[in-house]
Amino acid sequence: MKSGKKILLGITGSIAAYRALDIARLLVQDGHDVQIVATSRALKFFPRINGEVFTGHPVLSDLFESPGGVRHIGLADESDLLLVAPASADFIGRMAMGLADDLLTTLCLAIRSSVILAPAMEEMMYLHPAVQAHLKTLTDRGVREIPPDRGALASGKEGLGRLASPERIRDEVRELLRISQEWSGVRVLISAGPTRESIDPVRYIGNRSSGRMGYALVEAALSRGAKVTLVSGPVDIPTPPGADVFQVETAGEMESALEKQFPGHDLCIMAAAVADYRMEKPLNGKRKKDGKSWTLTLSENPDILAGLSRSKKEGQFLVGFAAETRGLDTNDLARKARRKGVDLLLANDVSEPGIGFGSESNDLTLVLPDGQSLHLGRDSKRRLADRILAEIRKRWTGFPSLPT
Ligand code: PMT
């Protein structure tokens, strides 16, 4: 039976390349349409004709070979998943650096669906700090690694570096496709970044949010096939392609955008750091320095999250963040979750340098309104975003089951 899923199988220059054909066979058995994209070095390890017989498609390798001219964008758009197995040390390095000098590396930049890497190489190469650093860069960006097995290597030595078994790789593909099938079409609304409240035409009240946590959630939701709307305060990071984006500046603008969007969404995650106060009367002209002290009168901004929870319909799921500077007390946080009316709260201690505001990492604890909690740990924001969506899925009883 056809699954209707298109899988790109990248094969790179490793002695394990011939085993990729067993992976192709298992994926075809699962009903997937498999397209092999091999690097020129990979083609030294298996005859093209074998790949074509297993998949029913010509093995692609060159970016510009006929027919079709530049084909990476079309292939990337049409595919449900990119699996690179085996992934050589050289390929992992090139992918981590964003080099794009052949069809496979170019696809890696163009693809928006999930990417899995199954490395295969000698143990000392796999454990080399350069390879580990490149793998960390990639997994921090949301790429999944299927770590190699321990066993007989090409050198004749025993060690860590043998390509994972085709069955293990097939199972991982099944799991990722199951997740993306489940989330496909689910409408997710995410707020991210800071808000700015004008003091005068040149000054504002802001905060240190970079938007990274919220943008990581956008990427994670998109890679699962969700339909994502992002309401973002002013940030310096690129917008993930594929989301509908509303740029806002003040808490008032963020509130209007979210109130308008919320009814058309199934899940809302408030990762934005909304300014709690604004100038009571922003000045029309720039205040000149006059040697005197200056007192600002501030008024409280509306609590956007609490407002959304009041308009929440059955089946919708609402998630808030909590930025704390005095440690995390689960009872206090559960009270905060109830006060804000959320289904789930993600608390981060933002007093520690290197996590929370502005950094690449976070340390999150999930708290439910009934006081249950789960420490998700310290990790890259992108990896945490995947964990968050998995935890939301477990607890969301009204998860929309959409027709497939
Ligand atoms: O953007 P990064 O640099 O990646 O940093 C990520 C982060 C630290 C900003 C993020 O992880 C985070 O904690 N975001 C929420 C910060 C915050 O405003 O916390 P809070 O405890 O003040 O607010 C609790 C919740 O109420 C939040 O979901 C917030 O979006 C919401 N809120 C707050 C105030 C307000 N007026 N309206 C709101 O809706």
Side-chain angles (χ1 to χ4, degrees), residues 3-208:
S3 69
K5 298 289 173 198
K6 181 156 191 140
I7 297 182
L8 295 173
L9 173 58
I11 308 181
T12 73
S14 152
I15 191 82
Y18 73 95
R19 293 179 68 204
L21 299 181
D22 286 337
I23 300 169
R25 190 174 45 78
L26 290 179
L27 296 177
V28 169
Q29 270 174 15
D30 270 0
H32 308 313
D33 183 9
V34 178
Q35 172 64 64
I36 294 178
V37 180
T39 62
S40 55
R41 284 189 194 160
L43 291 174
K44 295 192 191 313
F45 293 96
F46 73 93
R48 257 180 136 119
I49 184 75
N50 290 12
E52 302 187 359
V53 168
F54 276 121
T55 63
H57 295 297
V59 170
L60 304 177
S61 182
D62 191 341
L63 191 52
F64 297 106
E65 73 199 329
S66 60
V70 181
R71 50 167 46 138
H72 56 290
I73 299 297
L75 276 175
D77 284 351
E78 288 163 13
S79 76
D80 295 286
L81 190 141
L82 168 63
L83 162 69
V84 184
S88 66
D90 174 71
F91 173 79
I92 291 167
R94 289 193 296 138
M95 184 178 174
M97 286 188 285
L99 302 184
D101 58 355
D102 61 11
L103 183 57
L104 186 54
T105 44
T106 316
L107 270 171
C108 290
L109 294 186
I111 198 133
R112 295 293 150 233
S113 40
S114 303
V115 179
I116 305 181
L117 289 186
M121 63 199 76
E122 291 295 315
E123 178 172 290
M124 72 276 252
M125 291 171 73
Y126 179 67
L127 296 179
H128 192 285
V131 173
Q132 287 300 313
H134 287 316
L135 280 170
K136 180 166 184 321
T137 301
L138 292 170
T139 54
D140 281 355
R141 281 187 208 143
V143 170
R144 274 200 191 205
E145 185 202 350
I146 305 179
D149 285 337
R150 193 167 279 285
L153 303 173
S155 61
K157 293 181 182 168
E158 285 276 317
L160 182 67
R162 203 177 148 73
L163 181 68
S165 74
E167 289 73 19
R168 183 145 76 91
I169 293 174
R170 187 260 329 264
D171 290 350
E172 189 80 17
V173 168
R174 280 183 180 168
E175 174 60 7
L176 263 191
L177 289 176
R178 185 194 65 70
I179 293 170
S180 60
Q181 179 95 9
E182 200 177 46
W183 282 83
S184 172
V186 174
R187 297 161 304 170
V188 179
L189 177 62
I190 295 170
S191 74
T195 60
R196 283 180 185 169
E197 307 297 330
S198 190
I199 296 174
D200 68 16
V202 297
R203 304 177 179 94
Y204 61 83
I205 300 168
N207 61 64
R208 299 177 205 278

Side-chain angles (χ1 to χ4, degrees), residues 217-260:
L217 283 159
V218 171
E219 280 177 14
L222 284 172
S223 80
R224 283 166 156 72
K227 272 173 65 63
V228 183
T229 306
L230 166 67
V231 175
S232 177
V235 295
D236 292 329
I237 54 174
T239 308
D244 285 338
V245 184
F246 295 87
Q247 306 278 3
V248 297
E249 184 151 314
T250 64
E253 288 168 11
M254 185 168 274
E255 182 185 36
S256 313
L258 287 167
E259 279 181 350
K260 202 160 163 205

